[in-house]
Each structure stands twice: as C-alpha cells, then as structure tokens.
Amino acid sequence: MASETALPTRIERLSELAHNMWWSWHRSSRAVFTSLDYPLWSLSGHNPVKILQDIPPARLRQAAHDSAFLELYDRAIGELDSDVVRNDHWFARAHPNHKNRTIAYFSAEFALHNSLPIYAGGLGILAGDLLKEASDLGLPLVGVGLMYPQGYFQQQIGPDGWQQEVYRQLDFRSTPLLPVRALPGGICSPLTSIRLGERDVYLGAYLVRVGRVELYLVCTDVEGNSPEDRELTSRLYTAERVRRLQQEMVLGIGGVKILEALDIRPEIWHGNEGHTAFMMMERIRRGVEEGRSFEDALDKVRSSTVFTTHTPVPAGHDVFAFDMMDEHLRGYWQMEGADRDALLALGQQDAATHQFNMTAFALRTSAKSNAVSKLHKAVTQKMWHMVWPDRKEEDVPITHVTNGVHLPTWLAFEIAELYDRHLGKQWSAHSDEPATFDKVRNIPDRELWAARREVKQKLITAMTLRAQDCWASGRCNGQQALAMGALFEPSSLTIGFVRRFTEYKRPTLLFQDIERLKRIVKDPWSPVQIVFAGKSHPADEASKRLLQDAYRASLDHDFFGRIAFVEDYDMHIARLLVRGVDVWLNTPRRPREASGTSGMKACMNGVLHLSVPDGWWPEGYNGTNGWTISDESLSWNPEQEDERDSVALYELLEQEIIPLYYERDRYGVPHRWLERVRSAMISISPQFSARRMMKEYVEEMYLPLLEPKLPPR
Ligand SMILES: *Cc1c(COP(=O)(O)O)cnc(C)c1O
C-alpha cells in the first residue's frame, strides 16, 4: 500500500509479489525476500509487505544492480506470471466445459500465512489450504470471509501458567490486504449494506490475492457506521452470542451482496461450516423477490449449493433462539421475499424447540453436504438424522470428503529439496498420485536422516531463540525461559502435543501416571522431550486449567527441563513443530475429532503419528506408518477411556517407540525408525494432499451440480 518505499523500476514488481500470498508457497519467491534482507525477513515475522516498508532505499537500489538477486527476482516473477496467466491447469484440461464457471467459497476464517492473523485454528487452515490448492489447480473459485482487524488473540503464558490474551490492532499497511474501491487514503469503503435490527450497516471489502484466486474479506469498519458497528467484526469467535449472530449475518448476507456489488456471479456456492448459512438464506430471499415461489426459490438455491460440516458434537453448532433471530433480523424480515416463518422453519432443529440451527438450515438448503472424514460421516449422519426423519440413518444424504493439506505450504524446505533430488522436478505437480512418492524408497537412509536432523535442529534453535528473547525483554523470568525449551537438545526423542487446548483433545493424558512419565522422560540412555503448544478459548476456564497443568510440568525440576511449552501457536509455530519433532501425539476423545489435519502435515515431513483411531487416522494408518493407540471400542466412560488409553500410550512408548528410535548403527542412523518414516511419507503425502481433496470436491460435489442431472435427494 501507499507508504512503501519507492521501488527501482528494474524490480518494481516486488510489490506485486509481496501482495500476492502466492509468495508464501513458492520457494523461488521466498528466496527473493530472504535474500533481499534476511534480518528484516526474520524481524518482520516473514512478512514481505513489511519488508518493503522498512527496507532502506539504498538496499533496494543495490539489489536492482545485483545480478545474483536479479536472477532470483526474474525467476520468481516469471513463475508468478506463468502460473497466474496460463490456462492449462488441471481444471481447464480435465473439465474444459466448465472453465468459465465461478464457485464461491464462504468461510468464517481463512489461514493463509501468519502475517495475516485472521484465523483461530483447523477450520481456517483448511479453508486457506483449499484456496491455495484451487489456485494451483486453476479452479475458478472466489473466497468470501470476514476481515477481523484484531483477529484472534495472541497468547502469553504468565509465570503461574495462566493464559493471557493480548489483542492487537492489525497494522493494515503491513498486510497484503488491498482495499476494494477505496477512495485515496481510504481503508475500507462502503460497497453495500445489510439490514441489522432496524438499521443499515455498511459493508466494504478487502481483496487478498491467493495466486490466481481472489479472496474477499467483508469489513464493517467503514464510514457511515456507528462506532459499535465499526467494531462488529473486530475479533474472531467472540463468546458473545449476539455478536456471533451479527457477524454471521455480515458474512452470509453481506458476502452475497458484496459479490453482487463486484459483479461476480457464482454458479456454485460452497458454505464451509454452519457459520455461513445466511448465504443460503439471502439467496432464497432473492429468488422470491425476483418472483419465484418460495419452493422454487429454495430448489434453485439448493441445486447450486454445497455444504461442509466439521463439528461432530451438537454443542459445537451455532444455535440461535427465534427471539434472538427476530430481534436482529427484524428489518430483514420486512424486506421483499423474506418469508420469516418459512425461513425459520428450515433451520428448526425439531418442532418442540424455537431454535434456529445454522447447520440444520445449511443441510436443508444444500444439494450436496459432506463431512470431513469417513468416520465423521457416520457420526454426522447419526447427528442429523432428524433432518431426514423418514430415511434410514445410513441413507442420510451426507457424504464425506476427507480433509487434506497443501503440501507446498507444509513441507519443510529440506524435505522438498530431498524430493527434488530423488523424485524428479515434477513431483509437486503430481502430489496426489501415489506413484510419485514410490521413489522415496530410494532415498538413502543417511540422507533422509540428515534432512530430519536438520529440520529438528531448526525447531530447537527457534525455541531457544524465543526463550532468549523472552528473557532478554524482561517479560520472562529464568524459569519461564526454561519452560520455553531452553534446555532442549536435538538428540533426544521429541514428542509434540500441539493443538487447541480443550478437554476433548485430552492434552494431559500423558500425565495420567506422572511417575511413569517421569521415568520415561528422565531415562539417561533414552531421554524423551515433550513440547506442548496451543491456545485455549478465552472463555473456556477448564481448558485454561489443562494448559496450566501442562505448563507446570515444564517448570517441574523432576522433568529435567525436558518438557516445554511454546507460546502463541500460530502457522509459524505450526510449521516449525509439524516438521521438527519426531513424534506427533494425538489423543482426542473418540469420536470428537472430525478429521484433524496437523497429523497429516507431520507425516508428510517424516514425523511419526501416534494417535487414537479418530478423525482421519483410521483412513491413514496402514500398520507401518505410525502407531495407533488403543483399540476401536467406544463404549467406555471417560475415566476408563483415559485410563485405558494412557496405559496403551505408555506401553507403546516404552516397548516400541523409544527403543526403535534409539536403535542405531555405528553412524548413529536409526534404520528401522526410518523405515516407518518412509512409509509415512509415501502413504500419507498423496492421499491426504489438498490436491486429492480439491479434486474430490470438484468431481463429487461441484460437477454433479453443474451437469444437468441432479442426484435424487
Ligand atoms: C494444522 C493446524 C491446525 C489444525 O490442527 P488439528 O489439531 O489437527 O485440528 C490448527 N492450528 C494451526 C495453526 C495449524 O497449523
């Protein structure tokens, strides 16, 4: 944006490169910014827009004459141009009839990079990875989300282990956000408005370029709105119900109107999770306003709508009492085509409750609905049976598209280089084909182990530096610095428990038998380190206590400094951790994990997954590519389940995992461990790539709607 240093003509497209998130998943482009100014790259938190703001003009002038730099620059610009301009991507080749269609993808959060902190967790990561993959495949997709100027909170842990939330106003100038139709100097300018209660709330939008894909983020911080309305979307996932409802109206109703204001006319509308259900509502109202009967309008919306649900527990779905809906939709109900009773009925969970369930509404207004893993599909069919009461449970029309992750985003540089050498340069273009990864078998053990060690060293260096910074800044005392992993070292087996802190994920399962854990961790011949990271929801005291328990273990002298807690889990920390630990631990209470994706990222990097059979893991585990804790039986009470699973976990660690890791040849290479590492990389990479996922969405969810014959409902 405006305040950037003027760029020398020879390298003037640096700004364009920085303002397209494409840079974040292309090594050529990252190389441009790291070589431009490495200290600034680091200090800015890997933020090219900020680098261009802060860089001394003399350095830019110098770079414009530096042939080595220019070579990197030209290569990155060349790649960007050819990727954005060419029209022979997979989608155009596979489905030429549909290449000019538009698919709108609505989501309450998008995680593209840590420099744009408008995400909380897995749902956002999935949406961000999906946009990047859509760009890679040349899919005509446009994203719609909300702009949260304060985003989700930053986490700091106090000396007593209690989580503190810090909200910071985003400095828009150091983000890749491009205001849509803003007046000069303006940030977000009104493009349209929605009725909220009795008033109009004006909406503007920012554009984020994600390769070829455009993402529009609706914002309410525009002129004409009251101060409260300007703050309406300031934070993500507030616990206040009213604010939630209002934000979802802005996303759904507002998103439809923003696309219209921009003259974007989607033929497929995909809602990611129930937060987006007002998108369907507004389109039904439009249909009636245009003269259709309610039934026809509903049919028309349904026949062009896809819905993905992610939440396997009833309490996780947004439900608003009719009274509350009436209060905030009062003005909306007065608009032409808004048939209040009929619309509310579509969201009613059952006749007895006057509650509007966003997911039930979305399911009833979509022709195609899916869960996000095979196991989650069965859970979802059972949970939403009441929407189709006259069908058998297994005939409830909800399918599954198992989540996947965007390989270029999550794969360590060191592993990608290894693949370049051994799989051929084209491996990433074929990342969903199992044959691509067969050649991983040919990578010599010593090379693979060297790459694994390098990635792990990077993690431990980063942890140490953070501890150092915290200590040096005066914010941390010595104990806190140790708790951040200052005593970690790279040769010990390192386990990561890294995820949202919440009861069902059982972050403290490992502490079930604390003495046994101490024996495991302290063993002088086979030491074990455990690193925790993750946030608790600000309003969830119980989870904060779990977090505190994990933190206290890191302060316990008896653990020898081998337990650490890394603050402020975000995409940056995630990248370091999913690549750098040896074992990725996943212990949700079954079947609460719809899919989970962090374990996929770990496996692709050769980190071994140690997981209960929940979410995606039953589809991924093949007996040689990680470990499954415990059996598949479900009928236990929570205490028994914890007891059973923790014993199984200790046994696996003591009898199998730790001995395998420390079984070395005379050069220190653990051959049998690496067999598992290889198996994980070969089996998980193609099957759980975002590429496989995106192609399934296209072929199983979108195309049936674009092609005339609709499946029966
Ligand atoms: C991948 C990722 C998640 C999702 O992790 P799960 O625990 O597997 O659901 C959440 N947050 C961040 C920052 C991630 O990178």
Side-chain angles (χ1 to χ4, degrees):
M1 273 158 68
S3 60
E4 216 165 71
T5 319
L7 292 165
T9 319
R10 177 67 176 84
I11 52 173
E12 67 186 354
R13 293 183 66 196
L14 273 178
S15 173
E16 192 183 326
L17 204 58
H19 283 88
N20 189 330
M21 298 308 292
W22 186 90
W23 70 261
S24 69
W25 77 95
H26 289 89
R27 281 179 279 160
S28 64
S29 187
R30 293 167 72 93
V32 168
F33 294 105
T34 52
S35 68
L36 189 59
D37 193 324
Y38 194 82
L40 269 184
W41 166 259
S42 234
L43 284 172
S44 67
H46 304 183
N47 182 343
V49 177
K50 184 137 178 60
I51 295 176
L52 294 187
Q53 251 173 40
D54 296 347
I55 194 164
R59 171 66 192 123
L60 287 172
R61 285 195 300 275
Q62 185 195 9
H65 293 99
D66 171 351
S67 61
F69 177 79
L70 291 176
E71 199 178 309
L72 291 175
Y73 171 84
D74 290 339
R75 183 180 317 146
I77 294 289
E79 275 184 28
L80 173 69
D81 281 347
S82 81
D83 194 31
V84 172
V85 176
R86 76 194 169 92
N87 53 11
D88 61 345
H89 291 79
W90 170 79
F91 188 70
R93 279 184 283 119
H95 305 288
N97 300 343
H98 299 302
K99 65 175 194 242
N100 297 321
R101 313 276 196 162
T102 301
I103 302 150
Y105 182 80
F106 279 57
S107 178
E109 48 168 322
F110 287 94
L112 294 162
H113 187 258
N114 33 289
S115 59
L116 192 57
I118 53 166
Y119 60 89
L123 185 73
I125 300 281
L126 177 84
D129 277 12
L130 185 139
L131 293 193
K132 292 173 186 170
E133 194 60 55
S135 173
D136 292 346
L137 290 175
L139 205 63
L141 187 131
V142 52
V144 179
L146 288 178
M147 180 59 215
Y148 308 96
Q150 297 183 10
Y152 204 49
F153 65 93
Q154 291 184 329
Q155 178 194 52
Q156 291 184 356
I157 311 291
D160 55 351
W162 198 249
Q163 167 179 296
Q164 286 144 18
E165 295 97 29
V166 182
Y167 287 91
R168 293 220 172 85
Q169 191 74 21
L170 195 62
D171 175 5
F172 284 78
R173 289 165 315 153
S174 53
T175 68
L177 296 168
L178 303 162
V180 177
R181 293 198 204 138
L183 303 169
I187 297 197
C188 190
S189 300
L191 297 171
T192 184
S193 66
I194 62 165
R195 299 285 298 165
L196 219 164
E198 300 277 6
R199 64 191 191 279
D200 288 316
V201 173
Y202 297 96
L203 307 176
Y206 290 97
L207 166 63
V208 185
R209 293 193 183 281
V210 187
R212 298 161 54 92
V213 165
E214 294 182 338
L215 166 63
Y216 290 95
L217 298 173
V218 185
C219 67
T220 62
D221 187 13
V222 301
E223 222 150 288
N225 285 339
S226 67
E228 299 84 72
D229 285 342
R230 293 182 82 139
E231 296 270 297
L232 217 154
T233 64
S234 60
R235 292 179 184 179
L236 176 62
Y237 297 146
T238 65
E240 303 157 62
R241 309 290 308 148
V242 168
R243 180 67 70 96
R244 272 293 262 266
L245 172 60
Q246 293 175 333
Q247 287 188 347
E248 290 172 11
M249 289 173 67
V250 172
L251 173 63
I253 303 170
V256 171
K257 298 187 79 165
I258 290 279
L259 290 181
E260 185 182 43
L262 299 172
D263 205 24
I264 296 172
R265 306 195 178 281
E267 280 155 282
I268 298 283
W269 301 73
H270 186 167
N272 189 37
E273 192 64 318
H275 315 126
T276 60
F278 286 113
M279 170 261 275
M280 292 77 150
M281 184 182 286
E282 171 64 3
R283 288 162 49 229
I284 298 171
R285 186 193 68 75
R286 287 304 174 88
V288 177
E289 187 183 45
E290 284 159 12
R292 291 192 187 85
S293 70
F294 187 85
E295 276 310 314
D296 285 352
L298 172 58
D299 275 348
K300 182 147 191 291
V301 166
R302 204 180 260 155
S303 65
S304 54
T305 305
V306 171
F307 174 62
T308 304
T309 173
H310 295 258
T311 311
V313 269
H317 296 262
D318 273 324
V319 175
F320 303 113
F322 280 2
D323 287 349
M324 188 171 160
M325 292 284 285
D326 282 338
E327 186 185 337
H328 299 282
L329 288 141
R330 208 166 2 168
Y332 188 78
W333 298 147
Q334 285 158 16
M335 294 174 70
E336 208 183 330
D339 182 338
R340 173 197 176 272
D341 294 349
L343 288 171
L344 287 185
L346 281 172
Q348 199 163 3
Q349 209 159 310
D350 55 72
T353 54
H354 295 279
Q355 303 252 326
F356 185 89
N357 185 309
M358 296 286 276
T359 304
F361 184 86
L363 289 169
R364 290 196 181 103
T365 55
S366 304
K368 290 251 163 210
S369 298
N370 71 286
V372 290
S373 71
K374 198 167 165 190
L375 194 62
H376 180 227
K377 169 189 152 169
V379 174
T380 305
Q381 283 178 315
K382 188 183 175 88
M383 192 157 76
W384 298 105
H385 193 189
M386 77 274 202
V387 173
W388 291 272
D390 28 347
R391 292 198 185 204
K392 283 203 285 226
E393 195 175 293
E394 62 270 28
D395 294 334
V396 165
I398 298 176
T399 68
H400 74 280
V401 176
T402 302
N403 285 344
V405 298
H406 186 245
L407 218 67
T409 296
W410 296 107
L411 207 59
F413 175 80
E414 291 77 3
I415 305 289
E417 294 271 298
L418 207 56
Y419 285 177
D420 285 350
R421 282 202 299 279
H422 294 277
L423 313 191
K425 285 280 179 198
Q426 285 302 307
W427 65 269
S428 86
H430 302 280
S431 62
D432 58 328
E433 296 165 24
T436 305
F437 295 90
D438 281 349
K439 292 203 198 98
V440 170
R441 286 181 228 284
N442 304 340
I443 303 175
D445 276 1
R446 283 169 81 169
E447 236 180 283
L448 180 57
W449 187 236
R452 287 290 326 138
R453 284 175 60 107
E454 249 179 273
V455 187
K456 186 172 180 184
Q457 182 61 58
K458 263 192 187 165
L459 164 67
I460 289 176
T461 305
M463 286 168 66
T464 318
L465 284 175
R466 281 168 82 100
Q468 211 171 50
D469 278 351
C470 200
W471 166 252
S473 73
R475 190 170 72 73
C476 288
N477 62 32
Q479 279 218 324
Q480 285 173 283
L482 293 189
M484 294 174 84
L487 294 180
F488 264 44
E489 48 84 38
S491 59
S492 299
L493 171 67
T494 304
I495 300 173
F497 185 96
V498 180
R499 48 198 69 247
R500 203 150 49 80
F501 268 70
T502 178
E503 200 279 331
Y504 88 82
K505 298 209 185 214
R506 297 191 292 174
T508 53
L509 190 70
L510 266 172
F511 300 132
Q512 197 68 13
D513 181 345
I514 200 100
E515 292 311 318
R516 191 164 179 183
L517 181 65
K518 281 182 179 167
R519 283 198 300 278
I520 292 174
V521 166
K522 288 200 295 197
D523 188 309
W525 307 114
S526 57
V528 173
Q529 301 175 136
I530 305 167
V531 50
F532 288 93
K535 294 176 176 178
S536 290
H537 189 280
D540 186 351
E541 297 272 320
S543 308
K544 288 190 185 178
R545 278 194 292 277
L546 290 174
L547 193 156
Q548 189 172 36
D549 289 343
Y551 190 85
R552 283 188 176 146
S554 69
L555 297 177
D556 185 340
H557 297 262
D558 254 7
F559 279 117
F560 282 31
R562 290 192 181 130
I563 294 189
F565 194 103
V566 178
E567 281 179 333
D568 201 30
Y569 180 41
D570 69 353
M571 278 182 88
H572 177 60
I573 299 294
R575 274 198 306 273
L576 288 165
L577 286 163
V578 298
R579 297 165 180 179
V581 299
D582 298 302
V583 171
W584 196 256
L585 180 62
N586 182 43
T587 54
R589 213 179 273 298
R590 298 179 59 228
R592 301 276 198 90
E593 194 66 86
S595 166
T597 52
S598 60
M600 303 171 185
K601 303 168 195 164
C603 289
M604 291 172 182
N605 283 293
V607 173
L608 294 178
H609 200 215
L610 170 56
S611 172
V612 298
D614 200 13
W616 72 281
W617 189 233
E619 288 167 70
Y621 182 55
N622 67 9
T624 64
N625 57 358
W627 292 276
T628 294
I629 304 165
S630 195
D631 51 39
E632 311 237 337
S633 62
L634 265 180
S635 54
W636 294 68
N637 70 34
E639 288 77 35
Q640 285 173 317
E641 192 186 356
D642 289 354
E643 175 66 20
R644 176 195 66 184
D645 289 352
S646 65
V647 168
L649 176 55
Y650 295 131
E651 280 174 3
L652 264 176
L653 283 171
E654 291 165 345
Q655 292 164 17
E656 205 172 325
I657 298 176
I658 299 172
L660 199 65
Y661 183 81
Y662 285 106
E663 180 190 305
R664 305 295 171 93
D665 72 4
R666 63 198 165 100
Y667 303 103
V669 180
H671 296 285
R672 292 207 307 138
W673 180 270
L674 290 173
E675 269 168 39
R676 290 208 167 233
V677 167
R678 249 196 211 92
S679 173
M681 293 160 102
I682 292 170
S683 58
I684 304 303
S685 307
Q687 194 184 345
F688 297 94
S689 63
R691 179 150 302 191
R692 187 273 308 150
M693 168 182 76
M694 192 79 255
K695 286 185 178 175
E696 272 182 32
Y697 273 114
V698 169
E699 285 168 352
E700 287 165 31
M701 308 296 280
Y702 303 160
L703 289 182
L705 301 190
L706 288 172
E707 281 157 6
K709 222 167 87 212
L710 267 181
R713 265 301 256 200

